[in-house]
Amino acid sequence: MKKATLTIFAGPMFSGKTTKLIYLTKILKKLGQKVVVAKPSIDTRYTKAPKLASHDAKTIAAVFIDMNKPEDLLDIIKNDGFNHVILDELNFFHKTKTVAVIKKLLKMGVGVTGSGLAYDYRRKPFGPTLKLLKMADFPIWQHAICQKCGAPAEHTERVSGTKDVVVVAGMDMYIASCRKCHKIYKGK
């Protein structure tokens, strides 16, 4: 049996993480892999249907998983015999439970590819993404383009809304920014 691998795409919003997952899913399916694509049920920004949806309007069918119950993935795998899991928006999932589930999947021989924000808008670690990036066989850091100066952007900057950490939104509340331009949103 081949070793299952963990690939993690991390970076700010608008860096193409979800687009890469959609592309990778299509390739894996063409290669005969049985792939399940999952995302947290909280993320209904671009579609209420269970689909991965990128900021540039690319979509692919997915299943919703409760962000506090990532272990539900294990039931899906056992019941339907998938051999690869694609997980979007890792940052919204419960940190310790998600890491434990991914370790179990890898031990079962199920490959995992995920993406998520490493840091929230305050530049603080967000969910399990950083831990998974450190565990990954293939850790990939994505950059966006700073929407203020055009430099490579490694941060997500909130520009409107509340000061809550978990707020699912798109271009209406967030931009990508470089370290030099990034400002921490103070709220209203």
Side-chain angles (χ1 to χ4, degrees), residues 116-181:
L117 300 175
Y119 301 99
D120 64 20
Y121 75 95
R122 303 164 305 163
R123 294 162 110 178
K124 295 190 177 185
F126 196 12
T129 309
L130 279 176
K131 179 147 179 89
L132 292 169
L133 194 65
K134 290 176 185 173
M135 288 173 41
D137 299 288
F138 302 101
I140 301 164
W141 188 268
Q142 303 270 122
H143 284 85
I145 296 170
C146 180
Q147 291 170 262
K148 293 180 177 180
C149 75
E154 59 271 344
H155 297 291
T156 300
E157 183 175 335
R158 185 173 294 168
V159 293
S160 67
T162 72
K163 290 182 0 182
D164 296 339
V165 174
V166 177
V167 176
V168 181
M171 294 179 252
D172 54 328
M173 286 182 67
Y174 297 102
I175 63 171
S177 62
C178 68
R179 188 176 323 213
K180 182 179 172 188
C181 292

